[in-house]
Amino acid sequence: TRMRMVLPISQIEQAAPYMDRRVLEHIGDGQTEAFEGFESFDLLAFDWYDVHSERTKSAQMLLYLDREDLFIFCEDDAALTRARNIVAELEEEAADHQRLLYGFFLRLLRGDMDHLDQMEDRISDGETRLLEGKLTGECLEQIVAWRRELLRLKRYYEQLDAIFDQLAVNDNGLLDRQAVRRFSNLGNRTERFLGSIQNLREAVTQLREAYQSQLAIQQNDLMKLFTLVTVVFLPLTLLAGWYGMNFVGMPELRWRYGYPAVAIVGLAIAVGLVWYFRRKKWL
C-alpha cells in the first residue's frame, strides 16, 4: 500500500514501520544533510524559509522517499501547515509520489521570482533616494535588513539547489526519466534565483558604499563650514586680543573715532573673507 504522511518531526515514530530502519539511526546520529541517497530510498533535508511572510525564522523539513512511500516531517507548526496545504492541493492530481514530490517543491517556489523582483525595485528606490541626498538613520537600517534577507534567501536556495541536482542525478534509480527532467528544471530555476540574489547582494553592497560616501561628504561639508567660520573670525580674535592688552600710548585709545574704526575694520575683514570664499566656491 502506498503511504503518504505529513507529520511533525517529533512524531516520526508513527512512520517508522513503513520506512527503512536505517532512517531513524541516520537521523539519530545527526547526519541529515541536504540530500542523502541510499540504495532503496532518498532522504532530503532543508531549512524551509517562508519567503512571502514577515517570518524570519527557518524550520527544517525532512522528506523520505522510496518506491512505495513519501513522508514529510516538519519542525514547527508553520512548516507543518504549509506542507499539509500543499499536499492537500496535490492529492488528487498527483497520482504517484514522484509527481507529488515535484509538485511539492514547485509550490514552495511559487511566486519567489516575483518576490525577488519586488525586492530589486525596493533596492532601486533606495538607491534613488540616496543619490538625492536623502540620508536618514532608516537608510542604514534598511540596507542591513536587505543584506540579512538576501543571506537567508541564499542559504535557502543553495540547499534546494543541491537537492534538485542530486535528484536529477538519480543514482539509485528511484525516479523515472520524466521526474529526473522535472527536477533538473527545478535545479535550473533555483540557479536563476541564486544568480538574481547574487546581483542583488552586489547592488546592496554598492548601496552601502554609496551611503558611506554620502555620509562622508556631509561630514566633510560640515567640517569645511566649521573651518571657514574659524578663519573668518580669527582676524577679529586677533584684533580683540591686540587691543585687549591696553598698551599705554596706543593712539587709537585716545582717538575719538578709534572704537568705530576698529569695528569697521573688523567687519570689513569678515565681509572680505566671506566674499573671497564665495568667489572660490568654498561657500
Side-chain angles (χ1 to χ4, degrees):
T1 303
R2 294 180 180 270
M3 291 292 297
R4 296 175 180 175
M5 290 185 183
V6 181
L7 297 170
I9 289 181
S10 59
Q11 299 178 18
I12 195 172
E13 294 287 348
Q14 293 185 23
Y18 307 99
M19 296 190 300
D20 190 289
R21 59 181 178 78
R22 290 172 292 177
V23 173
L24 294 181
E25 297 176 0
H26 198 71
I27 296 174
D29 293 338
Q31 300 181 23
T32 52
E33 302 293 339
F35 179 91
E36 293 288 343
F38 296 84
E39 299 85 357
S40 59
F41 68 93
D42 288 334
L43 195 61
L44 322 175
F46 64 96
D47 293 325
W48 170 70
Y49 176 56
D50 192 355
V51 174
H52 306 285
S53 75
E54 298 298 326
R55 170 188 166 103
T56 59
K57 178 184 176 183
S58 60
Q60 188 179 60
M61 285 190 178
L62 182 67
L63 288 79
Y64 170 90
L65 173 71
D66 61 22
R67 300 187 187 278
E68 300 294 332
D69 308 308
L70 173 63
F71 302 120
I72 303 174
F73 305 102
C74 304
E75 184 179 13
D76 64 13
D77 292 339
L80 186 66
T81 300
R82 179 66 173 146
R84 283 177 172 170
N85 289 341
I86 292 177
V87 172
E89 292 178 15
L90 297 170
E91 198 67 47
E92 296 182 0
E93 60 183 83
D96 56 69
H97 295 330
Q98 297 180 30
R99 190 171 300 177
L100 189 146
L101 183 64
Y102 168 75
F104 178 81
F105 282 114
L106 188 64
R107 279 164 174 73
L108 277 185
L109 298 175
R110 179 190 292 170
D112 286 16
M113 184 55 79
D114 291 338
H115 175 74
L116 293 177
D117 290 340
Q118 293 170 7
M119 195 170 185
E120 182 179 10
D121 291 339
R122 292 195 298 271
I123 293 173
S124 179
D125 291 341
E127 183 178 11
T128 301
R129 292 195 303 271
L130 194 60
L131 293 176
E132 291 174 352
K134 298 177 181 178
L135 288 185
T136 63
E138 295 179 357
C139 289
L140 183 58
E141 293 177 2
Q142 185 61 70
I143 291 173
V144 172
W146 282 331
R147 284 175 57 85
R148 289 175 179 170
E149 172 71 6
L150 289 170
L151 181 59
R152 283 190 290 263
L153 290 171
K154 175 178 175 290
R155 290 172 177 171
Y156 175 51
Y157 291 125
E158 281 177 344
Q159 294 176 82
L160 294 181
D161 188 52
I163 289 174
F164 298 149
D165 286 347
Q166 291 298 322
L167 286 172
V169 171
N170 194 32
D171 284 334
N172 52 16
L174 279 182
L175 306 177
D176 58 31
R177 185 177 301 176
Q178 189 175 20
V180 168
R181 186 174 65 252
R182 287 171 174 168
F183 284 111
S184 178
N185 290 336
L186 283 180
N188 293 335
R189 179 178 297 190
T190 53
E191 287 177 2
R192 290 196 298 271
F193 290 169
L194 288 170
S196 179
I197 289 170
Q198 180 61 31
N199 292 335
L200 291 178
R201 294 186 72 193
E202 292 175 359
V204 170
T205 299
Q206 294 173 358
L207 193 60
R208 183 183 62 176
E209 293 174 353
Y211 174 84
Q212 292 173 340
S213 298
Q214 290 284 352
L215 195 61
I217 290 172
Q218 286 189 353
Q219 291 174 342
N220 288 339
D221 289 343
L222 186 60
M223 291 302 298
K224 183 172 71 174
L225 178 61
F226 287 156
T227 302
L228 294 178
V229 169
T230 301
V231 170
V232 168
F233 285 98
L234 185 60
L236 307 183
T237 304
L238 176 61
L239 287 175
W242 189 1
Y243 285 97
M245 291 186 290
N246 292 322
F247 286 129
V248 177
M250 292 179 68
E252 296 89 345
L253 298 179
R254 296 189 299 272
W255 184 33
R256 179 180 178 183
Y257 301 105
Y259 179 77
V262 171
I264 292 173
V265 169
L267 182 61
I269 292 174
V271 172
L273 287 174
V274 171
W275 172 82
Y276 179 77
F277 292 152
R278 291 184 65 86
R279 183 181 179 185
K280 291 293 186 178
K281 296 184 180 180
W282 295 346
L283 278 177

